[in-house]
């Protein structure tokens, strides 16, 4: 029985991870579609895209949290009511006990201001950077920053890599570099800084997620906590045009198509996707999480074929094979982890 439960647990982690990675790739595709300055008229500006994305994510997660809380309260009440028939306890005491248990189950999962701040930094710098950088350059900077920040923080926490993990991670990163490096030109300095900040923020957010006991509630409260920051950002953009470092989009631009893409990015790809990612992180080491995210550019490239009429080249196929081989080595390796300190 224990073997079966372990198998089902591993299978669920794999499923959560797969869906989350596809959601991450969907974010890249949606962002490219919405913020491309190659269009005659841009669909939306980066600050509005970020604001709608985070707001939509907060709303969807709030609805999911409400449904989950109601179901938890109902289940707890049913269990306690059945106990009443056996022990003749006052029914009001049962309902009070059920309510207390429901509150206790969710009170410890309110996310954190630090995680919310990292989420906001990731989202806003991601949007602005992709206006200044081409896709390949942006992806290279983003995931290099994610890798370095997560592995550095994991090393500080006490996790040491086995030789096979080092080889696998290096191979996966080399495959990713092969995918994006040949077409890279000298990037915008501002764009480079913004995307590096985005990658470091996402790396920190991912590591904080490993501590999550209730991924849905933690993610939901993190999104909700970003809303004051979103309001402040919009206010600054409206009142201080010089804040916008992106010349083609130094003011608010809205269109129905741009709003729809931002809502899809926030409500589904971000809100639900990040909640599933937090769930998956409970069964992944930091190294596995870092390397697995290298598949996102590959998945996004295939998404580009479906939605942006891009073509899969031999170059892409070779790089994808190298990346998946490296990831396979990392997953097969047995990590040796000695925890010295934990993030608080």
């Amino acid at each position: 029985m224990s073997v079966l439960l372990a198998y089902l647990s591993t299978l669920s982690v794999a499923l959560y991870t797969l869906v989350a990675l596809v959601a991450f790739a969907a974010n890249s595709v949606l962002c490219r579609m919405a913020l491309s300055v190659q269009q005659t008229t841009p669909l939306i500006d980066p600050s509005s895209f970020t604001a709608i994305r985070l707001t939509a994510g907060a709303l969807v997660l709030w609805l999911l949290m409400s449904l989950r809380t109601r179901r938890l309260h109902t289940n707890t009440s049913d269990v306690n009511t059945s106990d009443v028939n056996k022990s003749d306890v006052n029914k009001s005491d049962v309902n009070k006990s059920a309510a207390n248990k429901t509150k206790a189950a969710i009170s410890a999962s309110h996310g954190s201001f630090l995680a919310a701040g990292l989420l906001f930094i990731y989202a806003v710098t991601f949007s602005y950077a992709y206006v200044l950088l081409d896709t390949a350059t942006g992806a290279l900077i983003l995931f290099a920053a994610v890798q370095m920040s997560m592995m550095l923080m994991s090393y500080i926490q006490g996790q040491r890599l086995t030789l096979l993990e080092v080889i696998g991670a290096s191979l996966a990163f080399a495959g990713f570099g092969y995918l994006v490096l040949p077409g890279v030109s000298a990037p915008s300095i501002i764009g480079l800084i913004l995307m590096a900040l985005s990658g470091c923020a996402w790396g920190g957010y991912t590591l904080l997620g490993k501590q999550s006991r209730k991924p849905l509630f933690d993610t939901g409260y993190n999104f909700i906590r970003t809303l004051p920051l979103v309001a402040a950002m919009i206010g600054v953009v409206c009142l201080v045009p010089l804040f916008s470092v992106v010349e083609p989009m130094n003011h608010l631009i809205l269109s129905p198509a741009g709003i729809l893409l931002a809502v899809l990015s926030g409500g589904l790809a971000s809100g639900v996707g990040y909640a599933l990612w937090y769930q998956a992180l409970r069964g992944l080491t930091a190294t596995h999480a870092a390397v697995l995210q290298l598949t996102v550019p590959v998945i996004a490239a295939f998404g580009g074929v479906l939605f942006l009429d891009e073509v899969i080249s031999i170059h892409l196929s070779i790089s994808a094979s190298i990346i998946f081989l490296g990831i396979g080595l990392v997953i097969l390796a047995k990590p040796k982890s000695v925890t010295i300190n934990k993030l608080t």
Side-chain angles (χ1 to χ4, degrees):
M1 186 64 178
S2 60
V3 175
L4 178 60
L5 291 175
Y7 174 77
L8 291 176
S9 176
T10 302
L11 186 62
S12 64
V13 169
L15 180 61
Y16 291 142
T17 302
L18 177 61
V19 175
L21 293 175
V22 171
F24 296 163
N27 262 329
S28 294
V29 174
L30 292 169
C31 188
R32 284 153 60 185
M33 292 172 66
L35 299 175
S36 175
V37 293
Q38 295 179 351
Q39 304 174 80
T40 304
T41 303
L43 298 178
I44 194 170
D45 66 281
S47 57
S48 296
F49 183 87
T50 302
I52 296 172
R53 177 186 178 186
L54 292 175
T55 302
L59 287 173
V60 169
L61 288 167
W62 177 79
L63 289 174
L64 293 176
M65 288 191 297
S66 299
L67 293 174
R68 183 68 175 271
T69 302
R70 181 178 302 177
R71 188 174 65 177
L72 180 60
H73 178 76
T74 301
N75 292 341
T76 306
S77 298
D78 292 341
V79 171
N80 283 275
T81 301
S82 65
D83 292 340
V84 171
N85 297 329
K86 297 179 182 179
S87 58
D88 296 326
V89 179
N90 188 287
K91 199 166 187 176
S92 63
D93 293 337
V94 174
N95 291 334
K96 186 181 294 185
S97 176
N100 290 336
K101 288 184 178 180
T102 301
K103 291 180 181 179
I106 64 175
S107 61
S109 298
H110 285 176
S112 69
F113 286 102
L114 175 58
L118 291 173
L119 176 61
F120 175 78
I121 292 171
Y122 153 76
V124 69
T125 52
F126 180 86
S127 297
Y128 273 95
Y130 257 126
V131 178
L132 290 168
L133 300 172
D134 60 54
T135 303
T137 305
L140 176 61
I141 297 168
L142 176 70
F143 285 95
V146 171
Q147 280 276 19
M148 289 187 291
S149 62
M150 288 186 65
M151 290 188 175
L152 177 60
M153 285 183 277
S154 295
Y155 184 84
I156 293 173
Q157 288 182 283
Q159 181 173 312
R160 301 296 180 262
L161 305 181
T162 64
L163 177 60
L164 190 57
E165 281 184 307
V166 171
I167 295 174
S170 300
L171 189 59
F173 190 75
F176 176 72
Y178 177 73
L179 171 65
V180 298
L181 191 58
V184 172
S185 58
S188 160
I189 297 299
I190 295 177
L192 185 151
I193 294 172
L194 288 173
M195 192 59 85
L197 285 174
S198 182
C200 291
W202 180 252
Y205 185 79
T206 296
L207 286 180
L208 287 175
K210 287 185 65 62
Q211 303 173 23
S212 177
R213 297 176 58 189
K214 296 285 184 180
L216 174 62
F217 289 93
D218 283 333
T219 306
Y221 282 110
N222 287 338
F223 266 79
I224 292 171
R225 283 195 176 101
T226 66
L227 297 183
L229 297 173
V230 167
M233 175 190 67
I234 294 297
V236 170
V237 172
C238 291
L239 297 176
V240 187
L242 293 178
F243 172 80
S244 179
V245 296
V246 184
E247 185 176 349
M249 294 187 180
N250 56 4
H251 57 282
L252 299 180
I253 300 173
L254 292 171
S255 70
I259 292 173
L260 176 61
L261 290 171
V263 168
L264 291 175
S265 175
L268 295 178
S270 296
V272 177
Y274 295 176
L276 292 176
W277 180 241
Y278 258 30
Q279 184 72 38
L281 287 173
R282 301 168 71 180
L284 298 172
T285 67
T287 302
H288 290 176
V291 177
L292 282 168
Q293 289 181 84
L294 290 177
T295 63
V296 173
V298 179
I299 300 173
F302 283 98
V305 173
L306 296 177
F307 301 103
L308 301 173
D309 296 326
E310 297 177 352
V311 179
I312 297 180
S313 63
I314 297 177
H315 172 76
L316 173 62
S317 301
I318 294 174
S319 63
S321 300
I322 297 173
I323 290 172
F324 288 127
L325 175 60
I327 290 173
L329 292 177
V330 172
I331 292 177
L332 290 175
K334 293 182 179 181
K336 54 181 181 180
S337 178
V338 180
T339 301
I340 298 176
N341 292 306
K342 294 184 178 179
L343 288 174
T344 57

